[in-house]
Amino acid sequence: MFYGSIRAMLEKDPSGGLIRSHLYPFIMDYLSDFPVGKKLQLPSFRDCLKERGTVQMLTMGREAAIEVQSLVSVLDSCAGNSSCYSMILFHDLLVSTTLSPDDTINLFTYAVLRLSPNALSSGVNSWSYIRRGSTSSHFVSGSALTHSGPVSEQIYHSSDTSPVGNNINRVTRALQHGKWYKGKDGFLVTDIWGVDVGSLVCATPTVWLQQTEEAMYLCPYQFKSLTLILLIPVSSILNGEQGVALVKQQLLENASLKILKVEEKLSKGWGGENAYHVSGYRYLLVDGDRNISRASPPGKVTTLAKESLLALSKLRDEVDLEKSRAKRDNAGCEKDLEVSIRAKNNAWAIARITGGKELYMVLEKASETLLYASDAVEKFSNRYCNGAFSLD
């Protein structure tokens, strides 16, 4: 996403020096999300009601969906005849995307980690799973950094002891913390991709799309809890930063009112961080075909007993083994599956897999029988999943 394919880098430098100079700071910055105090908080059984490599979608009404579609049309046509791509998030939830599934996952993950309002304001990262030139004074004032303090450089090893030597300071380190700020015009800016010393204007970030293998300018814009990400083909902008600034100005002129309407509609229907909580259930829904997941809010999951989470973690291991076995024995054939485990505290951990969709659930009531638990899953399936996991 940030450097292009590893294969292309190895073809450019078969000795591996170029790829090492990029991998080392990237991995070190990636690991910086894990430390808690002096320890690394790595994924554990407590994360068994989460699914890495998926996006979390926002559910919205018909009126909001119409407004979103209208906004997307404006975003995708911002660069004239060139084909742009866009992604819209509300809080940390995906509203819309015109990217391929793989590119959507990559950009969504990076947006939640570094670009969302939560990431900018608190610096706490979520597990949902990575300008310069002769612009006019109007664009410079809009895109210049508004953060007055110094931006610290996080180097985990000195250049003389790191495996990559002095190259570490010349590599774009997109995963650094505290490097994104909201400009006066609403666009997010960073100095990670470089800064023009004379104008103090940041260079526009660029990313690579996996599907098209095309370099794109990354232009995030934020209005309240709404984050818009516009991707503009680098090849379509002939005059560099000045051309990007003109596209941004066109976006503000053509889409400001639509952005306001979308934010109002989504905020009106927003149920807060517990919007997808279902009383009595702790669950994880996964749509493998669309790479989408939905789960009980993290605050509700923390109420589960350790024994319950251990049972669900064991259940997920069993399901993964069965899925691998079925995939090996019947290439291309998906197998329906149901597994139930009784935890030491008498809670039930249940999994149902059918048609590319997966449901994992914990029911913590000591008096429950398997029949009662199965009936609870049926009710959940019929009410919230259109009967996708019903046994009938």
Side-chain angles (χ1 to χ4, degrees), residues 5-71:
S5 72
I6 291 180
R7 182 180 300 276
M9 297 180 75
L10 288 174
E11 290 176 353
K12 187 180 296 184
D13 179 11
S15 70
L18 179 62
I19 190 62
R20 281 196 299 272
S21 69
H22 287 73
L23 279 175
Y24 178 77
F26 180 85
I27 291 174
M28 296 307 295
D29 287 335
Y30 177 79
L31 291 177
S32 69
D33 285 336
F34 294 91
V36 176
K38 296 183 178 180
K39 297 182 179 180
L40 286 178
Q41 187 177 10
L42 298 176
S44 69
F45 68 91
R46 299 188 184 278
D47 299 302
C48 56
L49 279 175
K50 298 177 182 179
E51 185 72 6
R52 301 296 303 277
T54 60
V55 300
Q56 291 74 54
M57 294 286 297
L58 176 73
T59 300
M60 53 187 165
R62 182 175 178 274
E63 290 185 5
I66 293 174
E67 294 290 350
V68 168
Q69 188 56 50
S70 177
L71 174 58

Side-chain angles (χ1 to χ4, degrees), residues 130-343:
I130 84 23
R131 323 165 227 223
R132 57 172 174 256
S134 55
T135 57
S136 68
S137 60
H138 170 77
F139 299 129
V140 172
S141 65
S143 300
L145 288 177
T146 58
H147 186 264
S148 59
V151 181
S152 62
E153 185 72 13
Q154 296 183 19
I155 299 293
Y156 295 89
H157 294 272
S158 61
S159 58
D160 57 339
T161 59
S162 70
V164 296
N166 293 329
N167 286 336
I168 191 169
N169 292 317
R170 294 194 293 269
V171 174
T172 298
R173 298 173 56 199
L175 292 184
Q176 289 181 94
H177 288 272
K179 286 285 192 174
W180 283 91
Y181 309 99
K182 187 174 179 179
K184 296 177 181 178
D185 58 358
F187 283 96
L188 304 185
V189 292
T190 178
D191 61 355
I192 292 175
W193 276 260
V195 177
D196 183 76
V197 177
S199 63
L200 295 180
V201 176
C202 298
T204 302
T206 54
V207 295
W208 290 84
L209 295 185
Q210 184 171 331
Q211 184 181 46
T212 62
E213 298 183 352
E214 187 177 12
M216 311 290 289
Y217 285 117
L218 175 67
C219 303
Y221 176 86
Q222 209 162 84
F223 176 70
K224 296 184 179 180
S225 297
L226 195 67
T227 303
L228 285 69
I229 301 177
L230 180 66
L231 297 173
I232 311 167
V234 172
S235 59
S236 69
I237 305 296
L238 300 180
N239 50 350
E241 297 297 331
Q242 188 173 8
V244 174
L246 289 173
V247 173
K248 289 182 177 180
Q249 183 188 36
Q250 186 175 353
L251 185 150
L252 293 176
E253 291 175 353
N254 298 338
S256 293
L257 183 59
K258 294 182 182 296
I259 292 171
L260 177 64
K261 288 183 178 180
V262 168
E263 200 281 332
E264 287 179 349
K265 292 286 186 183
L266 297 182
S267 295
K268 186 177 180 181
W270 174 237
E273 61 180 13
N274 291 327
Y276 299 121
H277 170 58
V278 180
S279 180
Y281 294 89
R282 301 295 182 270
Y283 69 92
L284 168 65
L285 278 168
V286 180
D287 187 337
D289 295 332
R290 300 164 59 200
N291 297 320
I292 295 173
S293 68
R294 174 170 294 170
S296 294
K300 299 296 183 180
V301 175
T302 57
T303 64
L304 291 175
K306 179 180 179 181
E307 293 81 2
S308 302
L309 292 170
L310 285 170
L312 183 60
S313 180
K314 179 180 178 181
L315 178 144
R316 295 205 63 180
D317 288 341
E318 295 290 337
V319 169
D320 288 343
L321 287 173
E322 188 61 31
K323 285 164 60 179
S324 299
R325 190 179 300 115
K327 186 176 182 180
R328 183 176 63 249
D329 297 341
N330 302 295
C333 297
E334 294 183 351
K335 181 179 180 181
D336 290 351
L337 183 66
E338 181 179 12
V339 182
S340 301
I341 294 179
R342 194 76 184 263

